[in-house]
Amino acid sequence: MAFLELDGLRCHVQRLAPRDGRPPAATVVLVHGLLTDSLASYYFTLAPALAAAGVDVLMYDQRGHGRSARPQTGYRLEHFVDDLDILLDRLQLPGPFHLLGNSFGGTVAFGLAARRPEEVLSILAIESEPATPVWAAKLDRMLRRAEEQLPREETLAWVSEQHGSHTARLARSAARLLAETSLARDIPASRLPTEAELRTIRCPVLAVYGTESDLADQAAWLDTLLPSCRSTFVPGQEHSVLVETPDVVRELTLSWLRQNGAELRGPTTDERYAGRSAEPQGSVR
């Protein structure tokens, strides 16, 4: 565990080096989603498998989340992108690197790729989308609804009954985040990249959707918008693809890295995950 100061923000960072001690086959930066999410969602699902395959893995808690600081203000998308930009400089991360973003984390990844196109080898976006006016309006509705409903005991009781006590604790923490900060108002007011700026993202992009997710309908649009984007779908899943089907995401990620030049190594899938259990995590777009 490590903490770094990013222009006044105390940021919790975790890094997993290749387990065999050899030079990394690739460098992957993992970016998590909003509200109930943190780097733990990767630590218990994807990160150990990547390290076992010879990957240098960087993950961090975004501002307001996990063990990072929770300022009262400063939650526009550009602040989240700034944090990642500064973190990469502070760590002097050897590039170029791959970005993997879950939900809102994918939106941050698209923002960084537009800012640093020469340093991003590829993007794998799980249930995510670039920031657009439609995205901002949707986030506005979702965050206002969460701000209203999450503090209610009946809501938390329903979450506990349907998804377990751990998820209910995450929901309670999300309610505090919304109550104590300007996040719900800042994100819809973010500076949005223009379509021309988004089209500068020319690295390969793999967009992963659940077939039952409302985001699946945007696949054709994103494939058209980004020059090197293709989409894949996980059957029967809604938004929580990473949490509900971690094995599928692991294999998609490892295959994607190989397709984009990473000479991965390490044990077989069965050896990697034998005896490993994951505590469920959640996220909100």
Side-chain angles (χ1 to χ4, degrees), residues 69-90:
R70 180 174 289 183
Q72 290 185 334
T73 60
Y75 291 90
R76 294 194 302 273
L77 173 61
E78 54 265 36
H79 295 132
F80 289 93
V81 178
D82 286 345
D83 291 340
L84 179 51
D85 202 358
I86 296 167
L87 176 62
L88 296 174
D89 282 342
R90 189 66 50 83

Side-chain angles (χ1 to χ4, degrees), residues 68-224:
S68 288
R70 180 174 289 183
Q72 290 185 334
T73 60
Y75 291 90
R76 294 194 302 273
L77 173 61
E78 54 265 36
H79 295 132
F80 289 93
V81 178
D82 286 345
D83 291 340
L84 179 51
D85 202 358
I86 296 167
L87 176 62
L88 296 174
D89 282 342
R90 189 66 50 83
L91 292 174
Q92 296 183 327
L93 192 72
F97 44 81
H98 304 270
L99 294 175
L100 189 150
N102 182 44
S103 195
F104 177 75
T107 308
V108 174
F110 285 123
L112 186 81
R115 187 180 294 187
R116 291 188 172 201
E118 71 287 348
E119 295 183 54
V120 179
L121 282 171
S122 77
I123 298 172
L124 196 158
I126 305 168
E127 274 291 307
S128 187
E129 59 192 311
T132 63
V134 171
W135 169 87
K138 180 167 55 178
L139 267 290
D140 188 23
R141 293 191 300 270
M142 294 177 65
L143 290 168
R144 288 181 184 275
R145 185 167 66 247
E147 197 173 32
E148 176 187 352
Q149 294 180 357
L150 284 182
R152 298 176 180 175
E153 288 302 321
E154 58 268 30
T155 300
L156 295 170
W158 180 88
V159 171
S160 181
E161 180 181 348
Q162 296 295 317
H163 303 287
S165 59
H166 175 71
T167 303
R169 289 194 296 273
L170 294 175
R172 193 180 295 276
S173 177
R176 291 195 297 270
L177 173 60
L178 290 168
E180 295 170 3
T181 73
S182 58
L183 184 148
R185 287 157 295 284
D186 286 357
I187 286 184
S190 298
R191 179 199 172 277
L192 303 178
T194 65
E195 183 172 312
E197 288 173 323
L198 291 175
R199 288 187 181 278
T200 66
I201 302 173
R202 307 194 71 83
C203 66
V205 175
L206 178 64
V208 180
Y209 306 99
T211 55
E212 309 307 309
S213 167
D214 61 344
L215 282 178
D217 291 340
Q218 75 158 14
W221 165 78
L222 192 60
D223 289 352
T224 302

Side-chain angles (χ1 to χ4, degrees), residues 11-12 29-43 58-68 80 84 100-109 126 128 177 242 281-285:
C11 182
H12 174 222
V29 182
L30 306 178
V31 193
H32 68 74
L34 275 179
L35 294 187
T36 58
D37 211 355
S38 70
L39 68 76
S41 63
Y42 290 121
Y43 192 87
L58 172 64
M59 48 192 162
Y60 67 105
D61 284 328
Q62 300 207 67
R63 58 174 55 222
H65 295 73
R67 297 180 179 178
S68 288
F80 289 93
L84 179 51
L100 189 150
N102 182 44
S103 195
F104 177 75
T107 308
V108 174
I126 305 168
S128 187
L177 173 60
L242 175 63
Q281 300 291 323
S283 80
V284 174
R285 274 190 296 282

